[in-house]
Amino acid sequence: MADDPFENMLAQMDRAEEYADVDHGVFERLKHPERTLKVTLPVELDSGEVEVFEGYRCQFDSARGPFKGGIRYHPTVTQREVEALAGWMSWKTALVDLPYGGAKGGVICEPKDLTENDLEKLTRRYTEGIRRMIGPETDVPAPDMNTNSQTMAWLMDTYSMYEGYTVPKVVTGKPLELGGTPGRTAATGRGVSIVTERLFEYLERDLSEATVAIQGFGNVGSHAAKLLDESGARVVATSDVTGAAYDPEGLDVPTLAAHVEAGGLIEEYTDGTLRGASRDRTRWDEPDRIANEELLTLDVDVLIPAAVEGVITAENVDELRASAVVEAANGPTTVAADEVLTDRDIQVVPDILANAGGVIVSYLEWVQNSQEFSWPLETVNAELERRIGSAFDETIARYDEGDIPDLRTAAYTIALERTASAHEYRGLFP
Ligand code: NAD
């Protein structure tokens, strides 16, 4: 049960219902996705073989506006996972008060085994499969795990070919040359870094004294690491699928990020440069190698899961030594583990708040596309900070207000009330 992300999401909703001012009938409606499309995608690979892939697009709730949500390419994608992720998108857009609903897409594939050409064909075929469902005013995809601005460019091109004119607004996370916004690539990691800083202010603790472990060093994890490092925190451990690197004195984040950006894996990382006076380091040692599971239980101030779902579980939660968890990944904590974290007074900034920076800047991209105008990076980053900051403040205010047990439940009560209120104003069709 706990391993099923959809059940996990429902349990999080149930936990919040007690505290949310939501009619029970409306609440029950919020537990069901509006629709999910399953598509079969035969693709002729460069190897000459025809492989038949399977993909999904789930549109969860549109009471507050067009559907919005990323597309994930991963071998473990399932319909239930896509539906859970679409639900989380709905609560996320409501919590940060964007005029959107929630959606998600996924294709079951192992991108590492596909050539660039294979990925382009797969993306175009998937776009054809879901194109009747998406559109600039109906459902706007974006990148997620293993998809990026190039994937969005192929999606936009395919959709535009069918429409007969260029439709940049059908996706966000596009390359700058195609109507993307400055700041989108780093946005989720930037949001993670902002909420971590806000959490430390709230807890009246000094972030520059803090140690941080980050599971996953992809788009989100690496940008969060760079920004937290710049703000003075000590990033002591990070990982990818191949394993984790740990240095209690602090990793050399810029060098590690350059290694990964150049296509390197964490297990291959042997490089390093002196950190200089800023960290009082006088020598460079190659980081220790530890397992991904070990990273989760390191004695650090902040643990940031930034990879996949369900990594903090009933099995390992008692071993956790971090005093705060900032959920950069979607759904990294199972419900059983969540209850233990609350009992242990470990503050958790929930995913629907912590990783909302990506969808906020996606919204800013969409607004710029609507205006056929572009904003400078400073404007985008300032607006991101304002929006995620006020969602953080609202969540804290709700948490401090009453007997709500944790920040996730506080965030959910706000999101569910906003979505339910939209449903009530709109009424039940027909
Ligand atoms: P990514 O593909 O760029 O990076 C994922 C990282 O996690 C890689 O370093 C990968 O090696 C590592 N990883 C994968 N499986 C792992 C495992 N089992 N153990 C340890 N490490 C593992 O993906 P991303 O875009 O950085 O997304 C990471 C998480 O953040 C996902 O949960 C995603 O849904 C969430 N998220 C992403 C965005 C975004 O804008 N990209 C926005 C909101 C939420």
Side-chain angles (χ1 to χ4, degrees):
M1 189 79 117
D3 292 339
D4 177 343
F6 197 82
E7 290 297 333
N8 205 12
M9 186 202 65
L10 292 181
Q12 290 166 343
M13 291 174 68
D14 285 339
R15 206 167 172 205
E17 190 190 5
E18 182 185 334
Y19 306 95
D21 183 13
V22 175
D23 172 80
H24 184 68
V26 177
F27 180 80
E28 284 303 308
R29 280 164 62 192
L30 300 184
K31 290 178 157 181
H32 305 275
E34 285 183 27
R35 62 185 70 79
T36 306
L37 178 69
K38 176 176 154 193
V39 287
T40 301
L41 312 168
V43 177
E44 186 174 354
L45 303 177
D46 278 356
S47 63
E49 306 238 329
V50 174
E51 190 164 337
V52 182
F53 297 92
E54 195 168 294
Y56 309 93
R57 180 76 183 168
C58 171
Q59 298 181 330
F60 198 93
D61 191 284
S62 61
R64 304 183 67 262
F67 296 103
K68 188 86 190 80
I71 292 171
R72 170 178 292 197
Y73 289 174
H74 202 271
T76 62
V77 163
T78 62
Q79 180 171 339
R80 293 284 276 184
E81 180 194 55
V82 170
E83 289 175 342
L85 289 161
W88 282 319
M89 277 307 295
S90 308
W91 317 140
K92 193 181 304 181
T93 54
L95 176 65
V96 296
D97 210 5
L98 301 175
Y100 282 144
K104 202 79 180 191
V107 176
I108 308 168
C109 64
E110 177 48 271
K112 284 197 289 294
D113 297 342
L114 299 173
T115 66
E116 180 87 349
N117 195 32
D118 295 339
L119 282 169
E120 176 174 349
K121 283 189 189 167
L122 177 61
T123 303
R124 290 187 184 279
R125 186 72 199 218
Y126 175 66
T127 308
E128 198 291 316
I130 64 166
R131 79 186 164 85
R132 293 159 200 82
M133 218 179 170
I134 61 171
E137 310 299 338
T138 50
D139 181 354
V140 184
D144 191 70
M145 275 176 78
N146 295 319
T147 58
N148 55 28
S149 59
Q150 176 62 75
T151 324
M152 297 305 111
W154 291 326
L155 197 158
M156 188 277 257
D157 182 71
T158 309
Y159 184 87
S160 299
M161 286 294 135
Y162 281 105
E163 292 300 301
Y165 65 103
T166 299
V167 192
K169 217 180 141 184
V170 68
V171 285
T172 57
K174 297 178 291 289
L176 281 179
E177 293 81 350
L178 295 178
T181 184
R184 175 61 185 89
T185 310
T188 308
R190 183 173 293 278
V192 169
S193 161
I194 293 168
V195 297
T196 309
E197 285 178 37
R198 294 287 180 117
L199 178 70
F200 269 66
E201 275 165 37
Y202 172 67
L203 299 173
E204 296 179 355
R205 291 176 57 188
D206 186 356
L207 188 60
S208 67
E209 305 272 301
T211 52
V212 184
I214 304 180
Q215 184 190 48
F217 202 71
N219 174 292
V220 179
S222 66
H223 285 105
K226 279 197 260 186
L227 290 159
L228 285 166
D229 181 63
E230 281 166 23
S231 63
R234 191 156 19 123
V235 179
V236 295
T238 192
S239 64
D240 62 13
V241 268
T242 65
Y246 172 53
D247 185 336
E249 299 214 23
L251 294 165
D252 183 346
V253 175
T255 313
L256 184 57
H259 166 80
V260 171
E261 270 157 35
L265 298 168
I266 300 272
E267 70 172 2
E268 298 162 353
Y269 182 71
T270 53
D271 207 359
T273 50
L274 292 175
R275 295 300 308 272
S278 69
R279 289 277 188 278
D280 295 329
R281 298 203 53 174
T282 52
R283 65 190 169 82
W284 173 260
D285 290 326
E286 201 182 305
D288 295 339
R289 307 285 141 188
I290 57 172
N292 251 305
E293 304 75 63
E294 228 181 310
L295 177 145
L296 296 169
T297 57
L298 286 174
D299 187 8
V300 290
D301 295 300
V302 191
L303 173 65
I304 304 185
V308 287
E309 288 106 70
V311 293
I312 303 176
T313 65
E315 281 71 51
N316 64 12
V317 66
D318 290 321
E319 319 293 316
L320 246 67
R321 283 182 285 169
S323 52
V325 176
V326 178
E327 294 184 335
N330 285 306
T333 311
T334 66
V335 170
D338 216 12
E339 282 167 18
V340 178
L341 292 174
T342 304
D343 291 345
R344 290 187 57 200
D345 259 344
I346 298 177
Q347 286 288 3
V348 178
V349 182
D351 47 6
I352 61 169
L353 174 58
N355 69 32
V359 72
I360 291 173
V361 175
S362 272
Y363 167 66
L364 301 178
E365 178 176 331
W366 190 73
V367 169
Q368 291 171 76
N369 292 160
S370 297
Q371 296 177 331
E372 298 183 3
F373 190 74
S374 62
W375 305 341
L377 176 64
E378 300 70 44
T379 309
V380 172
N381 282 347
E383 190 61 16
L384 163 61
E385 180 144 15
R386 186 183 75 74
R387 285 178 178 268
I388 204 163
S390 72
F392 182 88
D393 292 344
E394 277 182 86
T395 305
I396 292 287
R398 183 65 69 99
Y399 172 67
D400 281 343
E401 203 169 84
D403 53 357
I404 295 183
D406 49 51
L407 293 178
R408 187 188 320 280
T409 308
Y412 266 70
T413 58
I414 297 169
L416 294 172
E417 284 174 11
R418 262 185 202 147
T419 313
S421 168
H423 276 282
E424 283 183 356
Y425 274 118
R426 290 182 64 160
L428 187 55
F429 176 84

